[in-house]
Amino acid sequence: MQRSLTTLNSIQQKFIDLIYVQKKTFVDASILMDEKIEVIRQLNKDLESHWRPITKSFNKWKAKHIGGSFWDFNYWSITTEPRCHYCGITQENLTLLHTLGLVNNKRATRGKTLEIDRKNPNEPYSNIQNLTYSCYWCNNAKTDTFTEEEFLIVGEAISKIWKSRQIY
């Protein structure tokens, strides 16, 4: 699970926000924070375990054009269990499937990690309460056709198949 910014002091939080969310340069951060560039460079080294997961979250937020507050999305991603909302497969299970070579889908870019899905496809991604994790198979099959309630039934069937294959 990602580290929370609440364990950081205000200078550390500001550094991460400026560099890794607002995408400012070290020089800009030095000026905005009224700190020497050496201090900014040291913060970057010292806070790597905090900013690395934040950059991954930021990249997902940006790629999905989620909108709204990045920090709201980051909190959602930290506090939401990494499990498909529909069939229940976990990120750990997906990694195992790929390690064992049990996955054969046409697009090698999908299926290795949980995807961000909208429970109600008519709501925008910026509605954080509408977001959930979904595996490739459930997300691909659900499309924008099925409601959350309808697809939970389908997800239960997919879960039974995974379990019969002793995936989890």
Side-chain angles (χ1 to χ4, degrees):
M1 187 152 298
Q2 297 176 9
R3 295 175 185 243
S4 170
L5 284 185
T6 58
T7 61
L8 303 176
N9 66 39
S10 61
I11 291 172
Q12 294 168 325
Q13 288 180 18
K14 187 172 184 176
F15 166 79
I16 288 175
D17 185 59
L18 287 171
I19 299 296
Y20 294 102
V21 176
Q22 296 183 40
K23 303 295 185 184
K24 302 288 185 189
T25 66
F26 281 14
V27 172
D28 290 339
S30 172
I31 293 166
L32 291 166
M33 294 176 67
D34 196 25
E35 295 284 352
K36 293 182 181 183
I37 193 77
E38 294 81 18
V39 172
I40 300 299
R41 288 188 181 114
Q42 191 61 48
L43 281 169
N44 193 55
K45 288 179 186 175
D46 294 344
L47 298 174
E48 183 173 1
S49 66
H50 290 275
W51 61 255
R52 281 232 184 259
I54 289 170
T55 59
K56 288 180 182 179
S57 181
F58 181 83
N59 290 340
K60 287 180 184 178
W61 177 76
K62 190 174 179 182
K64 284 299 250 182
H65 307 285
I66 291 175
S69 163
F70 162 72
W71 292 110
D72 289 344
F73 172 75
N74 188 64
Y75 180 77
W76 173 85
S77 70
I78 291 170
T79 58
T80 303
E81 183 181 8
R83 169 183 302 277
C84 178
H85 180 66
Y86 306 104
C87 74
I89 196 167
T90 65
Q91 182 56 60
E92 185 179 7
N93 296 137
L94 289 176
T95 302
L96 178 62
L97 282 172
H98 283 277
T99 302
L100 297 174
L102 299 175
V103 175
N104 185 14
N105 63 328
K106 296 175 190 171
R107 296 181 64 191
T109 58
R110 291 185 65 196
K112 292 182 180 179
T113 60
L114 290 168
E115 300 177 354
I116 298 166
D117 182 36
R118 295 172 295 164
K119 296 175 203 171
N120 177 346
N122 298 318
E123 291 286 323
Y125 279 99
S126 58
N127 177 357
I128 300 296
Q129 289 76 30
N130 190 46
L131 297 182
T132 193
Y133 284 119
S134 180
C135 69
Y136 161 77
W137 298 274
C138 287
N139 199 13
N140 198 52
K142 181 177 175 272
T143 63
D144 290 348
T145 304
F146 298 101
T147 66
E148 174 189 12
E149 293 78 20
E150 290 169 333
F151 208 79
L152 284 168
I153 297 166
V154 176
E156 191 175 317
I158 292 171
S159 176
K160 287 178 183 177
I161 294 168
W162 287 132
K163 287 176 183 172
S164 74
R165 293 181 182 183
Q166 299 179 346
I167 302 303
Y168 60 96

